[in-house]
Amino acid sequence: MDIPVFHLDVLNDRVLIAIIAVLHVVINHGMAVGGIPLVAYLERRGLATGDEAWDALAFRILTVFFIVTTTVGALTGVGIWFSAALVNPYAMGSLLRVFFWTWFTEWLVFVTEIVLILAYYLTWKKWRGPRKHAHVRLGGALSAASWATMALIVSILSFMMDPGSWHSDKTLFSGMFNPVYLPQLAFRTPLAMIMAGAFALAIVAWSEEDASMRARAVRTISSWILVWMLPCAAGGFWYARAVPSAMAANLPIALGTQALQAWSRTALAVLGGACAVIAIVALWGARKPNSTRTWALVVPALLSILLIGAFERVREFVRKPYAIAGYLYSNGLRKDDYPLLQRDGLLARATYTRVRRITEANEVDAGREVFLLACTRCHTVDGVNGIRSVLAAMYGDDRPWDREAIASYVGSMHDLRPFMPPFPGNEREKNALAVYLEHLQLHRETLEGAQSTGVVIEP
Amino acid sequence: MSLEPMPVPRDIPLPLPANPHWLEFLLVVAFVAHILFVNLMVGGSILVLAFEIRGLREPDYDRLARALASTITVNKSLAVVMGVAPLLLINLLYTIHFYTANALTGMAWILLVPTIAVTFLLLYLHQYTWDRFRNLKWAHISILGLAVALFLVIPLVFLANVNLMMFPERWTSVHGFLSALALPNVLPRYLHFLCASLILTSLFGVGYFWRARFPVEQMFHSLTRPRLRRTFYAIAFVVSLAQFIAGPLVLVTIPSKGLAAPVLTAIFTGVFLAIPAVWMIWKELSMEEPDGKRLPMIAGLLALTVLCMASGRHMYRGVALAEHKREMRMATERWAEDSAQAAYEKTLGQERAAHGIGEGQALFQSTCSACHGVDRRIVGPPLTEIARIYAGNPDGIVTWARAPGKKRPDTPQMPAFASLGDPKLRKIADYMLETGAIRQ
């Protein structure tokens, strides 16, 4: 509406965010939040036992974590911001107004974290002998800072799912301590520890040449994973209980709820299976580390990536139709602005549009503009989650689509599929959109975003 | 100037989390901290590349390159982390302007993420293969060469964005990153930035190798402390002279709309502080063995220059966008009023539908609304007032409307509406009481 629409018509904007975000969470959880405590623990064990091999192993794991976190990890963190602001600038802009001080505090902790990790890594070989104790303490401080950055950000993620009392009092504190916050934190913390163990197992499997050290390391890290499994399950249970009760008010009980449940069940089966496999490998490693195979030790790392990717997908999915529950729809439009937009129309109110008034002659163009403004935050024309394939699945592609059927569907889609926002425009625009969608059956076209076409202001 | 219409979008309708002047102050300070590390990272990489190539003939320069390269590990991480605060603040203070520029240069903007990540990975690869690639020197240099090439492209994307956000009148004429790059002022600013990077890094070099703790004597065969100092001072001096060309170029290419007196004052103060600094660099350089005693003074003066320039640049943005921000504020307020009105109409419509008095509204609109508003006076009293007078007494309205008298000295007498008939008048009366009561 007020910001040019960035749009990727093949990849889909959401896939862009998903790639960057999942990569970041994998690195952040596995190599920082969970990774640093694990390294610090192994380093301490080296100091306590006087066995240099532990120290060397800890440093080797840290080297991988250090290189990845300070490059891809750091940049994908900023990248989530870049991509989310490109794809849904209204959500990002609104979150910033509410959570500025949380982010600012997180930044201070982030600076601390980076300074500490640089110090921790670059002094590893220099702080020897009597200074080793100080170095181990440095690892502890770094662990705390890494966890704190995640703890702050999780408050914003859970706010998006359920702002709780923020709706009425609009304060930072009520926004942060929303109903989903602590359960989600209780789940993510042990999850990060498990992921760190999974990555460490993979590194040991590839890099440790000494058989006896390899066995000891596999046993220790496997036990580490097992220890965190119970808290993770408990946190997951608490979190799962917090989510549906929070979302219940936003999801009308209709057909769509069943669709959601069916989807979650599939996801839960996959997640459950992955958890079980990780547990089995960890048990194997803890009991009979000598007999573990390299491939088996790499499996938990791969599965944990799948696990967290699926988890983030589910978390993003259940939040729909909102970007900020009860306040901003995932199309970037405020719930409160719906009466105005439905009365006057999107095109009449949009800053940038190629069509202002709809006539018989410009219906397809008008429909395209409406699609760009109202649908492209989730749909492409012919790419991922493409609207052509959605319509072909609904109406078949062997007979002509019917604009009236489409228009009537657009009008009621929110009731049929509660994860979709209600149509934000007026009747005339709904019909133009239907004409455009009907037109797509015979005209395969791609829709380009403002990054290539620029913007137009039709007076 | 172009005749393109200037867009006036609406702002995000949530209040800023703090006093904007404080936030702007934070922005300038955080930005200076960020750009210093960016300068050291970019300038450092360029110098390491130059030294390593020179090291092919003089091995001491290879060692110098390696020593300088180890500082980039720290500087590049701090450049990123220090960049988060200004990014946060510019997102907050210039939400619509910044996001508009981001969207219009979208592909280049999002490609920054993988590009910077790859550049950093190349830097690590370069740094940790110094010994392993001892006999593959050109391959080793090429890795850094690629990283430097990427470092030379990356600032262009940032500059195109922060430049484009200041000129809403240009937004409709931009098609993608390259056309945003073609706006006047971007390339001069880029040149200015590159010069600053080299000056800062070479002064950093003077200080870094000046430290007594640095084992110059053990590390180098022919390079001595004074020679190192001369090398770095010489680079700083030559590039400073170039900066006196790049700087004015920025000033003459920047659109004049933001060049208010305070902006120019800040910029010229910065220039006048830089002149003695450059003169002192020259003095150091003209000594047979520079002792580096002037370095703190040079650094202090140039730090002030940077602060002046950063403030001037910020003030320019403020002046350039003041009018547009004012128009946006008005549009945002209008939108909020319209939105509230539409929401009100909608709830009213729903309540009326529920009470079956839709006809009353229709009759009211066609017959009465020319003179009676809902909550403001047009000619006769508004519904809120009528609802108070006739609360619980719709028939009183009907009686009055059949044959009105003259009650108020300051308004003309109301015409009679007996011709509508009592049933219709009663529907209007019900609507009036309902609506007037809701609005009170």
Side-chain angles (χ1 to χ4, degrees):
Chain A
M1 294 287 287
D2 295 301
I3 296 166
V5 179
F6 172 86
H7 177 61
L8 299 172
D9 205 55
V10 177
L11 184 66
N12 191 328
D13 303 314
R14 275 175 196 269
V15 177
L16 175 76
I17 297 184
I19 293 171
I20 296 176
V22 170
L23 200 56
H24 180 70
V25 172
V26 166
I27 294 169
N28 167 279
H29 284 21
M31 303 188 184
V33 177
I36 298 300
L38 178 57
V39 170
Y41 167 68
L42 296 176
E43 186 194 18
R44 245 197 80 162
R45 167 163 282 214
L47 185 65
T49 58
D51 186 347
E52 276 292 314
W54 284 113
D55 198 78
L57 176 71
F59 185 68
R60 210 158 54 232
I61 296 173
L62 179 63
T63 301
V64 176
F65 289 179
F66 173 78
I67 288 177
V68 178
T69 51
T70 57
T71 55
V72 186
L75 264 302
T76 47
V78 182
I80 293 180
W81 202 320
F82 274 44
S83 58
L86 268 184
V87 172
N88 201 336
Y90 311 97
M92 206 64 208
S94 304
L95 286 172
L96 253 174
R97 302 268 164 123
V98 180
F99 282 106
F100 174 75
W101 292 111
T102 309
W103 258 310
F104 196 79
T105 314
E106 197 260 345
W107 171 68
L108 294 175
V109 182
F110 183 31
V111 173
T112 314
E113 185 191 357
I114 291 292
V115 170
L116 286 176
I117 197 173
L118 287 166
Y120 190 53
Y121 183 69
L122 298 174
T123 60
W124 190 290
K125 297 258 165 89
K126 289 179 200 155
W127 291 13
R128 290 263 141 201
R131 296 191 80 183
K132 191 66 181 170
H133 285 280
H135 194 263
V136 170
R137 277 200 296 280
L138 196 57
L142 175 58
S143 305
S146 303
W147 182 82
T149 57
M150 180 190 76
L152 287 166
I153 291 298
V154 165
S155 76
I156 302 171
L157 286 181
S158 40
F159 171 84
M160 293 167 79
M161 192 175 278
D162 182 6
S165 56
W166 177 82
H167 278 305
S168 50
D169 63 15
K170 299 266 194 294
T171 64
L172 171 65
F173 195 77
S174 67
M176 275 189 74
F177 288 91
N178 53 70
V180 195
Y181 177 37
L182 292 177
Q184 185 170 183
L185 194 58
F187 172 59
R188 278 189 194 262
T189 304
L191 181 68
M193 302 296 169
I194 294 174
M195 291 183 72
F199 288 139
L201 273 188
I203 295 170
V204 169
W206 285 110
S207 71
E208 186 59 61
E209 282 157 9
D210 179 70
S212 108
M213 185 57 207
R214 181 182 184 277
R216 275 183 291 152
V218 167
R219 169 168 289 160
T220 301
I221 297 167
S222 297
S223 308
W224 166 278
I225 295 177
L226 288 174
V227 163
W228 288 105
M229 279 207 145
L230 195 63
C232 188
F237 182 69
W238 186 20
Y239 182 36
R241 279 174 63 93
V243 174
S245 64
M247 297 306 292
N250 303 317
L251 286 174
I253 304 147
L255 267 170
T257 315
Q258 288 169 15
L260 270 182
Q261 277 174 351
W263 204 94
S264 326
R265 247 183 256 127
T266 321
L268 281 177
V270 175
L271 297 184
C275 291
V277 174
I278 294 176
I280 290 166
V281 173
L283 270 173
W284 183 9
R287 286 295 182 83
K288 295 205 155 64
N290 281 314
S291 67
T292 49
R293 300 277 172 277
T294 299
W295 62 262
L297 296 178
V298 176
V299 166
L302 298 176
L303 283 181
S304 71
I305 294 172
L306 170 85
L307 201 75
I308 195 111
F311 161 63
E312 299 294 346
R313 164 83 167 93
V314 170
R315 186 182 56 72
E316 286 287 312
F317 194 86
V318 293
R319 196 179 65 218
K320 290 180 182 185
Y322 289 109
I324 301 170
Y327 179 75
L328 190 88
Y329 283 116
S330 45
N331 55 22
L333 299 170
R334 286 196 323 151
K335 192 183 176 199
D336 284 355
D337 287 333
Y338 259 60
L340 179 66
L341 296 171
Q342 286 172 335
R343 185 190 75 185
D344 297 355
L346 284 168
L347 300 183
R349 287 287 180 171
T351 302
Y352 306 102
T353 176
R354 287 172 171 76
V355 177
R356 191 67 75 188
R357 270 167 295 278
I358 305 176
T359 62
E360 289 275 315
N362 69 12
E363 271 189 312
V364 171
D365 293 334
R368 187 181 296 111
E369 289 294 310
V370 172
F371 183 81
L372 191 67
L373 290 171
C375 316
T376 51
R377 299 309 82 205
C378 304
H379 290 286
T380 63
V381 169
D382 216 1
V384 175
N385 200 15
I387 204 70
R388 278 196 91 261
S389 55
V390 172
L391 291 168
M394 276 172 64
Y395 301 117
D397 218 356
D398 47 354
R399 56 207 158 89
W401 299 344
D402 173 25
R403 63 177 71 175
E404 269 157 38
I406 296 175
S408 125
Y409 173 72
V410 168
S412 59
M413 69 194 170
H414 175 61
D415 300 320
L416 301 171
R417 292 169 201 256
F419 49 84
M420 288 179 65
F423 179 68
N426 61 19
E427 283 297 303
R428 194 87 182 79
E429 290 171 337
K430 191 174 77 183
N431 294 328
L433 176 63
V435 170
Y436 170 65
L437 295 179
E438 186 194 67
H439 153 96
L440 285 179
Q441 188 179 25
L442 300 176
H443 303 81
R444 294 189 93 99
E445 58 172 56
T446 50
L447 186 60
E448 297 203 72
Q451 73 272 25
S452 42
T453 60
V455 282
V456 172
I457 304 175
E458 178 66 27
Chain B
M1 288 305 289
S2 70
L3 292 170
E4 300 279 344
M6 180 158 80
V8 183
R10 270 90 32 167
D11 201 354
I12 304 242
L14 288 170
L16 286 177
N19 182 325
H21 297 297
W22 260 110
L23 295 170
E24 285 175 27
F25 173 74
L26 269 178
L27 172 62
V28 174
V29 173
F31 178 75
V32 169
H34 164 63
I35 204 73
L36 287 180
F37 287 109
V38 172
N39 283 330
L40 288 174
M41 166 183 90
V42 174
S45 307
I46 296 172
L47 289 187
V48 171
L49 181 64
F51 290 150
E52 196 180 356
I53 292 173
R54 188 161 174 192
L56 291 172
R57 280 177 286 114
E58 295 174 72
D60 262 2
Y61 278 90
D62 192 71
R63 294 181 197 108
L64 177 62
R66 190 169 181 174
L68 194 58
S70 69
T71 65
I72 297 176
T73 308
V74 174
N75 289 334
K76 67 128 186 49
S77 279
L78 291 176
V80 170
V81 71
M82 297 312 272
V84 171
L87 183 70
L88 195 66
L89 283 153
I90 209 150
N91 271 257
L92 182 71
L93 285 165
Y94 300 93
T95 314
I96 302 290
H97 297 93
F98 192 57
Y99 288 167
T100 299
N102 295 171
L104 290 172
T105 60
M107 282 320 267
W109 182 246
I110 198 65
L111 282 173
L112 279 177
V113 174
T115 310
I116 299 174
V118 166
T119 312
F120 284 8
L121 284 169
L122 286 170
L123 288 178
Y124 279 138
L125 181 66
H126 177 257
Q127 198 191 335
Y128 293 125
T129 53
W130 214 290
D131 293 320
R132 203 170 298 170
F133 284 11
R134 179 66 40 210
N135 299 321
L136 286 166
K137 209 58 193 164
W138 276 109
H140 193 239
I141 291 172
S142 307
I143 295 169
L144 183 61
L146 188 55
V148 168
L150 292 172
F151 266 154
L152 292 178
V153 176
I154 290 162
L156 285 170
V157 183
F158 281 104
L159 274 170
N161 267 273
V162 292
N163 191 63
L164 182 59
M165 68 178 267
M166 294 193 295
F167 307 113
E169 63 275 15
R170 297 301 192 115
W171 289 348
T172 49
S173 57
V174 167
H175 295 85
F177 166 64
L178 288 178
S179 73
L181 201 57
L183 292 186
N185 188 43
V186 179
L187 293 176
R189 281 179 78 174
Y190 175 66
L191 214 64
H192 200 51
F193 159 80
L194 283 186
C195 290
S197 295
L198 285 172
I199 296 168
L200 189 74
T201 313
S202 27
L203 291 177
F204 169 77
V206 175
Y208 190 73
F209 296 103
W210 179 35
R211 297 171 310 152
R213 254 179 54 207
F214 196 87
V216 171
E217 290 74 19
Q218 291 95 298
M219 190 179 265
F220 303 119
H221 299 303
S222 58
L223 278 177
T224 57
R225 272 177 216 273
R227 234 192 109 188
L228 279 170
R229 261 175 241 150
R230 275 186 72 85
T231 310
F232 283 111
Y233 270 135
I235 301 167
F237 182 72
V238 172
V239 183
S240 294
L241 295 184
Q243 194 68 306
F244 278 94
I245 299 167
L249 211 56
V250 172
L251 206 54
V252 298
T253 51
I254 198 165
S256 59
K257 73 169 186 173
L259 287 177
V263 178
L264 291 171
T265 310
I267 290 175
F268 281 106
T269 309
V271 174
F272 286 119
L273 287 166
I275 291 171
V278 176
W279 181 77
M280 277 188 263
I281 295 176
W282 170 248
K283 290 297 284 182
E284 286 273 309
L285 205 50
S286 49
M287 293 168 77
E288 189 58 35
E289 292 203 344
D291 54 13
K293 275 189 187 144
R294 294 183 185 85
L295 186 63
M297 197 62 191
I298 295 169
L301 283 171
L302 288 182
L304 289 176
T305 300
V306 169
L307 273 178
C308 284
M309 294 293 176
S311 310
R313 162 205 148 103
H314 178 73
M315 284 189 272
Y316 177 91
R317 185 161 52 206
V319 177
L321 286 179
E323 174 61 17
H324 191 245
K325 279 198 142 187
R326 200 181 58 79
E327 286 180 29
M328 272 179 58
R329 201 158 42 242
M330 282 161 56
T332 311
E333 281 164 17
R334 264 201 311 278
W335 174 281
E337 281 167 21
D338 292 352
S339 186
Q341 180 66 31
Y344 170 67
E345 284 168 15
K346 194 180 164 192
T347 40
L348 209 59
Q350 280 164 351
E351 273 170 31
R352 276 181 209 136
H355 290 89
I357 53 167
E359 199 186 340
Q361 184 193 8
L363 287 165
F364 172 80
Q365 290 295 346
S366 57
T367 321
C368 324
S369 65
C371 297
H372 297 279
V374 173
D375 51 8
R376 72 199 159 94
R377 180 163 172 179
I378 301 173
V379 178
L383 296 193
T384 44
E385 199 180 326
I386 294 173
R388 266 201 305 276
I389 300 170
Y390 292 100
N393 178 24
D395 285 329
I397 300 179
V398 175
T399 312
W400 170 265
R402 271 201 305 257
K406 181 155 171 77
K407 260 191 208 167
R408 299 163 197 246
D410 55 337
T411 52
Q413 188 175 337
M414 178 175 143
F417 287 92
S419 59
L420 271 178
D422 279 7
K424 284 189 179 170
L425 285 176
R426 175 58 199 257
K427 280 180 180 154
I428 295 176
D430 285 341
Y431 166 76
M432 282 177 154
L433 293 184
E434 176 101 9
T435 309
I438 292 173
R439 262 297 169 96
Q440 271 169 8

